[in-house]
Amino acid sequence: MLKYQQIAAEIETYIEEHQLKQGDKLPVLETLMAQFEVSKSTITKSLDLLEQKGAIFQLRGSGIFVRKHKRKGYLSLLSNQGFKKDLEDFNVTSKVIELDVRKPTPEAAENLNIGIDEDIYYVKRVRYINGQTLCYEESYYNKSIVTYLNNEIVSHSIFHYIREGLGLKIGFSDLFLHVGQLTEEEAEYLELEAGLPKLYIESIFHLTNGQPFDYSKISYNYEQSQFVVQANSFLL
Amino acid sequence: MLKYQQIAAEIETYIEEHQLKQGDKLPVLETLMAQFEVSKSTITKSLDLLEQKGAIFQLRGSGIFVRKHKRKGYLSLLSNQGFKKDLEDFNVTSKVIELDVRKPTPEAAENLNIGIDEDIYYVKRVRYINGQTLCYEESYYNKSIVTYLNNEIVSHSIFHYIREGLGLKIGFSDLFLHVGQLTEEEAEYLELEAGLPKLYIESIFHLTNGQPFDYSKISYNYEQSQFVVQANSFLL
DNA sequence: CAGTGGTCTAGACCACTAT
DNA sequence: TAGTGGTCTAGACCACTGG
């Protein structure tokens, strides 16, 4: 682990363990430099990381302060992390409805940046959190990248398998969010009524080299859909 | 304007003007250093900024590439920018329903970090975008910070006035997002039916020194509620 | 293994905050 | 105006990608 990541992690742990609150002051730069025995730039990089994550804020001429929101139970939506791993703290299970190799829809081909004659894995799932329906999901995986999937893999974490099993490096994603109403089919899978609200997300995941490998359309149970965004500076 | 911001802006303009697409390669670091006559760290900082914004991605050992999503008409939701200024490109107007000085609700006092006996400005508005209803909004401003508001200010951009008129520096915000159903009152103001979906956002805005000055509860017309998140690395 | 991006340093100098 | 964070430099060295 890199120095600046290590230091960021340690500072975060420190804040956690000492139960520091919003506005509490951290040691000044010089102290931190001495304490961690690194140069100013390295400390600065650590602090910038924590600032991005919404853990602290820095005020030139004044100091470094803890930043914290008080509410629990929200999914953190950060531009540099995507949906956080918070979900994994809960018991998430999946029921596989369909899994096969087929040709992509024109829409899927477009988003995966492939021809409509190339193979993809098609996966349809319903996911549950603590026994309640979480989302209904249709996914398309570029088969020339994600070369193999089976029922076992798909009913657990596909992404974990992609990283660990296939050794691929996931880089970044584009998420498109809408609010809408459940269709009959979605409502049935989510055990809700048609016409009720849904959070609908289309996502495209890319490897670190920019190749898209997964295009998914997901409808979330609105009762489970609450998240927090910690925003920083403003260009407004 | 700082060097690294200036350079980032120029690179972004360059991408725009040359209509570069996802995957197009930018010059290597050494070239950029020479071209802008700055040190490596400065270029790196510019590029990191652009990477955060989702404009490029960098691949060690390979190069610097353009990153772009194709869809238009989405509000960009970035952790380091909040809701982007995209909205200002459209014609947004406001109708003020209520505006007065009063005592905060316990909830507002809690979120503004003040006592329930201190004064706040209470504002209720409906906002329109291109003639359609955009959102219904209830806001509480800490009067000891936002010392004056009137109908004229409130029917235009309150934040613009806070920055320019009052000379305050806005630092960061916490947004809490939910999906839900419109109440009778909200539906009436938004010219929709009760029970239809809504995007509901509670937001708390802080000055650069961490003081909260605005607590707002906003219900968005779901037809206007679509946004994009460009996420980067993964801790998953 | 050549090319390229990433980390880290030591230090000069600048800009903002609070008193 | 003292204290504190932010920018920028020049350069050494490291780590990854792809032919």
Side-chain angles (χ1 to χ4, degrees):
Chain A
M1 189 179 237
L2 297 166
K3 271 193 189 176
Y4 78 92
Q5 295 174 329
Q6 180 62 40
I7 292 170
E10 285 184 31
I11 294 175
E12 209 166 14
T13 303
Y14 178 87
I15 292 171
E16 201 62 45
E17 288 184 345
H18 291 71
Q19 304 193 339
L20 300 189
K21 297 189 199 321
Q22 174 116 355
D24 285 355
K25 197 168 186 296
L26 294 175
V28 300
L29 274 183
E30 204 168 352
T31 309
L32 293 170
M33 285 168 64
Q35 183 176 332
F36 292 104
E37 296 181 294
V38 292
S39 72
K40 188 171 175 176
S41 320
T42 302
I43 279 292
T44 296
K45 193 153 187 180
S46 301
L47 294 173
D48 287 350
L49 223 185
L50 291 173
E51 189 161 50
Q52 271 181 52
K53 290 182 66 173
I56 62 166
F57 62 95
Q58 302 180 72
L59 225 198
R60 178 188 283 196
S62 181
I64 304 157
F65 305 88
V66 172
R67 173 178 174 195
K68 261 189 169 171
H69 67 261
K70 299 162 187 169
R71 306 186 190 184
K72 303 283 179 194
Y74 284 75
L75 198 57
S76 184
L77 188 54
L78 290 176
S79 81
N80 56 328
Q81 289 182 254
F83 283 95
K84 227 179 162 185
K85 66 163 184 174
D86 294 5
L87 268 188
E88 312 227 336
D89 296 344
F90 298 94
N91 182 24
V92 177
T93 58
S94 303
K95 183 169 73 184
V96 181
I97 299 165
E98 288 185 53
L99 167 62
D100 55 48
V101 175
R102 59 171 76 167
K103 305 300 180 190
T105 61
E107 177 195 36
E110 161 81 11
N111 284 302
L112 289 173
N113 202 26
I114 59 175
I116 57 169
D117 54 335
E118 297 188 51
D119 284 335
I120 52 97
Y121 269 106
Y122 174 80
V123 182
K124 191 191 273 194
R125 301 193 293 184
V126 178
R127 311 196 75 189
Y128 302 84
I129 183 168
N130 295 331
Q132 294 184 296
T133 60
L134 172 64
C135 64
Y136 163 72
E137 173 186 298
E138 272 184 291
S139 301
Y140 304 80
Y141 294 89
N142 183 341
K143 188 167 179 297
S144 73
I145 298 174
V146 181
T147 49
Y148 179 73
L149 285 179
N150 64 27
N151 226 294
E152 166 72 10
I153 294 164
V154 165
S155 55
H156 295 90
S157 174
I158 299 179
F159 275 48
H160 179 267
Y161 165 75
I162 287 175
R163 245 193 312 270
E164 305 302 326
L166 296 172
L168 296 172
K169 291 182 189 166
I170 298 168
F172 55 89
S173 61
D174 297 327
L175 309 179
F176 299 91
L177 293 80
H178 298 253
V179 173
Q181 292 179 281
L182 289 172
T183 64
E184 288 287 352
E185 187 188 14
E186 291 163 350
E188 187 165 335
Y189 283 119
L190 291 177
E191 300 166 20
L192 295 169
E193 300 294 321
L196 282 175
K198 71 177 175 188
L199 177 64
Y200 174 73
I201 303 184
E202 287 186 47
S203 60
I204 304 165
F205 284 86
H206 308 255
L207 300 178
T208 48
N209 67 9
Q211 273 193 291
F213 67 91
D214 168 31
Y215 169 61
S216 295
K217 302 191 285 186
I218 312 180
S219 298
Y220 283 88
N221 181 337
Y222 75 102
E223 294 167 316
Q224 313 288 354
S225 303
Q226 55 180 27
F227 38 100
V228 58
V229 178
Q230 291 188 282
N232 293 325
S233 59
F234 289 89
L235 306 182
L236 288 177
Chain B
M1 189 179 237
L2 296 166
K3 272 192 189 177
Y4 79 92
Q5 294 174 330
Q6 180 62 38
I7 293 171
E10 286 184 32
I11 294 175
E12 208 166 16
T13 304
Y14 177 87
I15 292 172
E16 202 62 43
E17 286 183 348
H18 291 71
Q19 303 191 339
L20 300 188
K21 298 189 200 322
Q22 173 116 355
D24 286 354
K25 197 169 185 296
L26 293 176
V28 301
L29 274 182
E30 205 169 350
T31 309
L32 294 170
M33 284 168 65
Q35 184 176 330
F36 291 104
E37 297 181 293
V38 292
S39 70
K40 187 171 179 177
S41 321
T42 304
I43 280 291
T44 296
K45 191 153 187 180
S46 301
L47 295 171
D48 287 350
L49 222 185
L50 291 173
E51 189 162 50
Q52 271 181 51
K53 289 182 66 173
I56 63 166
F57 62 94
Q58 303 180 73
L59 224 199
R60 175 187 282 193
S62 182
I64 304 158
F65 304 89
V66 172
R67 173 178 174 193
K68 260 189 170 171
H69 67 263
K70 299 161 189 169
R71 307 187 189 183
K72 304 282 178 193
Y74 284 76
L75 197 59
S76 184
L77 189 54
L78 290 174
S79 82
N80 56 329
Q81 289 181 257
F83 284 95
K84 229 179 162 184
K85 65 163 185 173
D86 294 6
L87 267 187
E88 312 226 336
D89 296 344
F90 298 94
N91 182 23
V92 178
T93 57
S94 303
K95 184 169 73 182
V96 181
I97 299 166
E98 289 184 49
L99 166 62
D100 54 49
V101 174
R102 59 172 77 166
K103 305 300 179 190
T105 61
E107 179 195 35
E110 162 82 12
N111 284 302
L112 289 173
N113 202 25
I114 58 175
I116 55 168
D117 54 335
E118 297 188 49
D119 283 335
I120 53 98
Y121 269 106
Y122 174 79
V123 182
K124 192 192 272 193
R125 300 192 294 183
V126 179
R127 310 197 76 189
Y128 301 84
I129 184 167
N130 295 330
Q132 295 183 295
T133 58
L134 172 64
C135 64
Y136 164 72
E137 176 185 295
E138 272 184 292
S139 301
Y140 304 80
Y141 294 89
N142 183 339
K143 188 166 179 297
S144 73
I145 298 175
V146 181
T147 48
Y148 179 73
L149 286 178
N150 64 27
N151 225 293
E152 167 70 11
I153 294 165
V154 164
S155 57
H156 295 90
S157 174
I158 299 178
F159 275 48
H160 178 267
Y161 165 75
I162 287 174
R163 245 193 311 272
E164 306 302 327
L166 296 174
L168 297 173
K169 292 182 188 165
I170 299 168
F172 55 88
S173 61
D174 297 329
L175 309 179
F176 299 92
L177 293 79
H178 298 253
V179 174
Q181 292 179 280
L182 289 172
T183 64
E184 288 287 353
E185 186 187 15
E186 291 163 350
E188 188 165 330
Y189 283 119
L190 291 177
E191 298 166 21
L192 294 170
E193 299 294 319
L196 282 175
K198 70 178 175 188
L199 177 65
Y200 175 73
I201 303 184
E202 287 186 47
S203 60
I204 303 164
F205 284 85
H206 308 254
L207 300 178
T208 48
N209 69 8
Q211 272 193 292
F213 66 91
D214 168 31
Y215 168 60
S216 294
K217 303 191 284 185
I218 312 180
S219 298
Y220 283 89
N221 181 336
Y222 76 103
E223 294 166 317
Q224 313 288 354
S225 303
Q226 55 179 30
F227 38 99
V228 58
V229 178
Q230 291 189 285
N232 294 324
S233 57
F234 290 90
L235 305 181
L236 290 176

